[in-house]
Amino acid sequence: MELCVALDLPSRKENLRLAEKLADYDIWLKVGFRTFIRDGRAFLDELKAISPRFRLFLDLKLYDIPNTMADAAEEIAQMGVDMFNLHASAGKKGMRTVMERLESYEKRPLVLAVTALTSFSYHDFKEIYGADIDEKAAWFALQAYQAGCDGVVCSVYESRAIKHETDRNFLTLTPGVRPFGESSDDQQRVADLAAAKREGVDIIVVGRPVYRADDPAGVVKRILESL
Ligand code: C5P
C-alpha cells in the first residue's frame, strides 16, 4: 500500500512548505482543481524540484466528449504527471479513447476512473443516475477495467468487491482515510489504516490528518512505518 498526501492548503506557499517538510519520503502528492487552476503547471515543476521522489497525482476528474478528454490526457502526459483521473460516467468509449491515445507514450501516467463521488447520498445518486449507488459503482469500475484504465477511485469498503469483479492488480485509490482514527471531518465513510490494508487498497489519500498536524512529517513517517 502507498500513501498519497492531498495538498489542500489554501495557498501555493503553504502547499510548497508542506511538500518541503515531506521531501524525505516516497509518497504521492495530490494536486486538485483549486491548486492547479491557480498555480498551474509551474507548481507541478516546483514540487518535482523539491524532491524527485514525489510522484504527482493530478486530481482533475476529467469529464467531456472522448476526443476532448484524450486531448487533455495527452497534455497531462506531457507535463510529466504520474497519475490523473477521469469520471467513469463519461463512458467506456471516452475512457478507451483516452487509453488508446496514451499508448504511444513510453512512460504514460496511470489513469484512474472515479466511480461515484463520495459526497453523494443514496438519494442524490439515484436522482442523477437512476440507479443504486453500490451496484452502479461496481458497474462503473468494470467499465473502466474493460476500457483499459489502471484503476479506480473508490471508498475503502468497495475496494475488495471491485478487485473481485475485475482483477486484483486493478488499482484502488481511496480518500477518506483516517490512519489512526483521527476526526472524520466532513467525510462520511471513513476508514483507518488497518481497514484499508484488510480491504486490499493500493493507495490511500490522506489530507487533513497530515497537513493539520503540528508535525506533518512525523505523521507521514508513522503512516509509512505501518504500511
Ligand atoms: O482531508 P481529507 O483526508 O478528507 O482529504 C481527502 C482528499 O480526497 C480531498 O482532497 C478530497 O477532495 C479528496 N476526495 C475525496 N473523496 C472523493 C474524491 C476525492 O475526499 N471521492
Side-chain angles (χ1 to χ4, degrees), residues 70 93-105 147-148:
K93 195 172 158 202
M95 292 189 277
R96 193 169 274 152
T97 306
V98 166
M99 298 316 293
E100 283 169 1
R101 192 77 78 78
L102 293 178
E103 261 169 24
S104 59
Y105 286 79

Side-chain angles (χ1 to χ4, degrees), residues 4-8 30-32 57 59 61 85 114-119 153-155 173-179 183-187 190 205-212:
C4 178
V5 173
L7 292 182
D8 286 338
K30 184 171 89 68
V31 175
F57 170 31
D59 180 19
K61 302 185 184 72
N85 55 4
V114 178
T115 54
L117 295 176
T118 45
S119 56
V153 181
C154 63
S155 91
L173 173 139
T174 64
V177 173
R178 294 295 175 263
S183 152
S184 57
D185 302 297
D186 59 345
Q187 295 284 13
V190 301
V205 178
V206 184
R208 284 163 284 189
V210 168
Y211 67 74
R212 276 201 195 147

Side-chain angles (χ1 to χ4, degrees), residues 4-22 27-36 38-39 43-44 46-48 50 54-57 59 205-208 210-211:
C4 178
V5 173
L7 292 182
D8 286 338
L9 285 160
S11 70
R12 172 178 154 273
K13 220 172 167 179
E14 288 163 283
N15 282 322
L16 287 175
R17 207 173 298 140
L18 173 65
E20 278 159 10
K21 287 181 189 155
L22 306 181
I27 53 173
W28 289 89
L29 295 178
K30 184 171 89 68
V31 175
F33 258 173
R34 179 195 194 177
T35 299
F36 190 68
R38 189 190 51 221
D39 305 325
F43 178 73
L44 301 176
E46 282 179 292
L47 292 176
K48 284 278 187 190
I50 291 172
F54 289 152
R55 277 167 297 160
L56 305 185
F57 170 31
D59 180 19
V205 178
V206 184
R208 284 163 284 189
V210 168
Y211 67 74

